[in-house]
């Protein structure tokens, strides 16, 4: 069984072809909402595991001085291309290779007002060490924005098996596996919409509402400017894979001088919990 890392960068290079101003605007708005800001002028923004570079671009559009790094050379290349195509301000933006597990490299980076790492550190193979190292790059009073896979116990263990299976399959069968998982998710959503349709019909409410919501969700990018297919590939193939409970993340960072300011959970289900912490010490 292969322990090869998933090629996140190759996936994001394909995503780059669908990036447009609407997706960029959604990414900007999601940053503003979670960070509670309108602008990031005169602030340093460190994007840990920048991936496609979409959120580095969003921070750049908000006026921040951005430093982006990623372990995957193709992610670095994707972010550089994102910068070439869409950067439109004079705010500095540096992009380079680097690892969230490389303490020596991280020590060379200046402390940042916002350290951002969405859906990254649980793919390092040493999640808790990565969180510890990355949290040290936040300036006192600064913000740490993390997104970490939710721990669902045995369900998470089953997803770990699926991700390991993905690593063993040839490319064509990998696509079949991703499509199969996508079909499963879609059927689950359709079944839920059908039940809601019947309930609303018998209670004399508009029965079309759940169907309209489903159609909107399928057309949308999930509220962050991303793309459902490439997110699905990332989810099914993403390896290494670790998870944590919201309580576990809260306690770990509380003990390191952080106060939780914003929390958005996935309701105990599948996906990522999002955290914004303030560094107090």
């Amino acid at each position: 069984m292969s322990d090869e890392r998933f090629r996140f960068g190759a996936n994001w290079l394909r995503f780059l072809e669908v990036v447009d101003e609407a997706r960029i605007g959604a990414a900007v708005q999601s940053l503003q909402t979670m960070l509670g800001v309108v602008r990031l002028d005169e602030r340093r923004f460190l994007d840990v595991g920048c991936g496609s570079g979409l959120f580095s671009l969003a921070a750049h559009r908000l006026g921040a001085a951005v430093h982006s790094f990623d372990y995957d050379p193709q992610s670095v290349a994707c972010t550089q291309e994102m910068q070439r195509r869409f950067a439109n301000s004079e705010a500095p933006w540096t992009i380079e290779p680097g690892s969230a597990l490389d303490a020596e490299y991280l020590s060379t980076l200046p402390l940042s007002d916002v350290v951002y790492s969405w859906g990254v550190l649980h793919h390092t193979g040493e999640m808790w060490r990565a969180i510890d190292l990355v949290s040290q790059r936040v300036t006192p009073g600064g913000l740490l924005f993390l997104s970490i896979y939710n721990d669902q116990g045995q369900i998470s263990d089953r997803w770990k098996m699926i991700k390991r299976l993905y690593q063993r399959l040839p490319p064509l069968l990998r696509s079949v596996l991703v499509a199969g998982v996508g079909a499963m998710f879609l059927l689950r959503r359709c079944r839920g919409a059908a039940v809601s349709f019947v309930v609303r019909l018998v209670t004399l409410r508009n029965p079309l509402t759940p169907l309209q919501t489903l159609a909107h969700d399928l057309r949308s990018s999930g509220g962050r400017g991303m793309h459902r297919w490439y997110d699905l590939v990332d989810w099914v193939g993403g390896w290494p894979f670790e998870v944590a409970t919201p309580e576990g993340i809260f306690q770990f960072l509380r003990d390191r001088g952080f106060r939780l300011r914003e929390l958005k959970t996935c309701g105990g289900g599948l996906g990522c919990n999002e955290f914004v912490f303030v560094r107090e010490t």
Side-chain angles (χ1 to χ4, degrees), residues 177-234:
L177 177 61
V178 173
V181 171
M184 178 190 70
F185 287 156
L186 179 59
L187 288 172
R188 186 180 300 167
R189 290 294 306 277
C190 290
R191 185 166 57 245
V195 171
S196 296
F197 176 89
V198 173
V199 170
R200 295 181 71 89
L201 186 64
V202 300
T203 56
L204 302 179
R205 292 178 290 168
N206 182 3
L208 297 180
T209 298
L211 302 182
Q212 292 167 342
T213 300
L214 175 61
H216 175 269
D217 289 349
L218 293 178
R219 289 193 305 267
S220 73
S221 58
R224 299 182 60 250
M226 305 304 289
H227 187 281
R228 292 197 180 277
W229 172 256
Y230 298 113
D231 278 352
L232 183 63
V233 173
D234 181 293

Side-chain angles (χ1 to χ4, degrees), residues 11-280:
N11 189 43
W12 295 133
L13 282 170
R14 291 187 287 269
F15 164 71
L16 186 61
E17 298 309 312
V18 301
V19 174
D20 56 19
E21 286 298 328
R23 293 187 188 279
I24 295 168
V28 168
Q29 185 174 11
S30 73
L31 264 189
Q32 291 172 316
T33 299
M34 283 300 289
L35 296 178
V37 301
V38 176
R39 297 282 300 172
L40 288 170
D41 299 286
E42 300 182 359
R43 300 191 195 182
R44 293 183 182 273
F45 184 97
L46 178 62
D47 191 353
V48 179
C50 51
S52 69
L54 179 61
F55 283 84
S56 289
L57 174 63
H60 172 76
R61 289 278 183 97
L62 290 173
V66 179
H67 186 98
S68 313
F69 73 86
D70 202 291
Y71 176 88
D72 189 321
Q74 289 182 297
S75 289
V76 173
C78 186
T79 301
Q80 290 170 334
E81 182 62 14
M82 188 79 74
Q83 180 188 50
R84 187 190 70 80
R85 293 188 190 184
F86 299 108
N88 63 358
S89 80
E90 298 301 319
W93 181 2
T94 304
I95 305 164
E96 64 184 10
S99 169
L101 296 175
D102 187 342
E104 183 176 353
Y105 167 70
L106 291 173
S107 69
T108 67
L109 303 179
L111 299 183
S112 295
D113 303 290
V114 180
V115 174
Y116 175 88
S117 190
W118 209 103
V120 172
L121 302 183
H122 48 230
H123 290 310
T124 60
E126 297 182 62
M127 181 182 69
W128 295 108
R129 179 169 176 264
I131 294 174
D132 184 33
L133 289 173
V134 166
S135 70
Q136 296 174 33
R137 307 323 302 161
V138 183
T139 190
L143 302 177
L144 175 63
F145 186 170
L146 292 179
S147 169
I148 299 293
Y149 280 143
N150 186 46
D151 186 351
Q152 294 182 277
Q154 292 183 346
I155 295 175
S156 295
D157 291 338
R158 288 197 289 272
W159 279 112
K160 185 179 294 186
M161 294 172 62
I162 291 172
K163 292 168 181 285
R164 295 292 293 271
L165 172 62
Y166 180 97
Q167 297 301 322
R168 298 180 60 181
L169 294 174
L172 180 59
L173 292 182
R174 288 179 176 181
S175 297
V176 172
L177 177 61
V178 173
V181 171
M184 178 190 70
F185 287 156
L186 179 59
L187 288 172
R188 186 180 300 167
R189 290 294 306 277
C190 290
R191 185 166 57 245
V195 171
S196 296
F197 176 89
V198 173
V199 170
R200 295 181 71 89
L201 186 64
V202 300
T203 56
L204 302 179
R205 292 178 290 168
N206 182 3
L208 297 180
T209 298
L211 302 182
Q212 292 167 342
T213 300
L214 175 61
H216 175 269
D217 289 349
L218 293 178
R219 289 193 305 267
S220 73
S221 58
R224 299 182 60 250
M226 305 304 289
H227 187 281
R228 292 197 180 277
W229 172 256
Y230 298 113
D231 278 352
L232 183 63
V233 173
D234 181 293
W235 166 249
V236 176
W239 184 265
F241 171 70
E242 294 179 80
V243 296
T245 63
E247 296 87 353
I249 297 293
F250 164 72
Q251 292 165 3
F252 186 83
L253 286 164
R254 178 200 60 193
D255 295 345
R256 285 159 176 77
F258 286 82
R259 170 175 55 84
L260 183 64
R261 192 175 93 169
E262 196 72 44
L263 173 63
K264 181 179 179 182
T265 73
C266 54
L270 184 68
C272 289
N273 298 314
E274 299 178 53
F275 309 82
V276 177
F277 288 91
V278 179
R279 184 174 184 178
E280 296 190 314

